[in-house]
Amino acid sequence: MIEVVGAAKFYGARTVWTGLTLSVEAGSMAGLVGSSGSGKTTLLNCVGLLDRLDAGTLFVDGRDVTALSPHGRRLFRRDELGYLFQNYALIDNATVAANLDVAFVSRGVRRADRARRREEVLERVGRGGYERAAVYELSGGEQPRVSLARALARSPRLLLADEPFGALDALTRIRMHALLRDQCARHRPAV
């Protein structure tokens, strides 16, 4: 699903990484491990087309997405990608429903179907009935769940996560990882 070949990233004179090669199969789950500042988030941002590689090639499903136009990059993010940001990237002064609707509207889900879909995805993350809650009222453990619900609402083929569960207790973290494994299994190619 993801193949990075000979990638390099620089910030001015600082080299983040060079010659990076990575391959992740469809339907699998992979983790990046490294010290703080080693470029893990930068790599996720490049794979998620939020940032560009300075050298190398990025393939998703065999398609070279390295040089997509800005419009092509937006379409890729809209149609193929779910992203769990480290800071959750939720709209604080909006309701949970409005945050999920961002995903539904961008995917063209009809208004008549949104309530049912919101309920389904919130139940999956253990937060059914939270549609009317304002994000700023949610606890530090509830926000990552809503962020995951929004990412899953897009039914992404590729889900990137940047330390999304650091604020969760151990049991909830295990449950959220199980949801991610389930999402991977949904996109595992038939053998």
Side-chain angles (χ1 to χ4, degrees):
M1 169 124 224
I2 300 170
E3 188 174 3
V4 180
V5 181
K9 186 66 182 171
F10 308 97
Y11 287 119
R14 181 175 165 260
T15 300
V16 180
W17 24 258
T18 60
L20 183 115
T21 299
L22 169 74
S23 182
V24 180
E25 293 181 27
S28 67
M29 201 167 162
L32 298 174
V33 179
S35 60
S36 182
S38 64
K40 299 179 301 291
T41 296
T42 299
L43 179 58
L44 287 176
N45 287 341
C46 288
V47 170
L49 302 185
L50 295 171
D51 200 354
R52 291 189 180 272
L53 297 173
D54 291 319
T57 309
L58 169 63
F59 297 93
V60 177
D61 268 352
R63 176 180 168 208
D64 183 352
V65 297
T66 311
L68 285 176
S69 68
H71 178 70
R73 295 167 76 80
R74 280 191 302 277
L75 291 178
F76 173 84
R77 288 189 302 266
R78 181 195 74 192
D79 297 338
E80 306 291 332
L81 183 67
Y83 206 121
L84 291 169
F85 293 93
Q86 196 169 22
N87 65 359
Y88 316 128
L90 296 169
I91 305 165
D92 284 339
N93 61 348
T95 64
V96 168
N99 272 272
L100 293 177
D101 282 350
V102 168
F104 293 134
V105 169
S106 70
R107 293 296 300 227
V109 175
R110 293 183 340 208
R111 182 181 302 268
D113 296 331
R114 290 183 204 157
R116 178 186 52 80
R117 299 270 306 269
R118 281 193 302 261
E119 186 178 315
E120 287 171 0
V121 74
L122 285 170
E123 284 294 331
R124 282 184 73 193
V125 300
R127 284 298 168 258
Y130 273 59
E131 292 90 337
R132 291 194 171 126
V135 167
Y136 68 84
E137 297 173 333
L138 300 178
S139 72
E142 291 168 331
Q143 288 188 16
R145 291 179 187 216
V146 172
S147 180
L148 177 58
R150 185 177 60 190
L152 294 176
R154 302 175 66 83
S155 299
R157 293 185 33 209
L158 175 60
L159 182 61
L160 302 175
D162 189 2
E163 300 184 37
F165 305 135
L168 299 178
D169 61 86
L171 181 58
T172 304
R173 193 175 306 128
I174 289 167
R175 289 180 182 148
M176 296 300 100
H177 278 109
L179 276 172
L180 291 179
R181 282 191 301 278
D182 178 59
Q183 185 69 15
C184 289
R186 291 172 186 234
H187 294 282
R188 190 167 291 128
V191 181

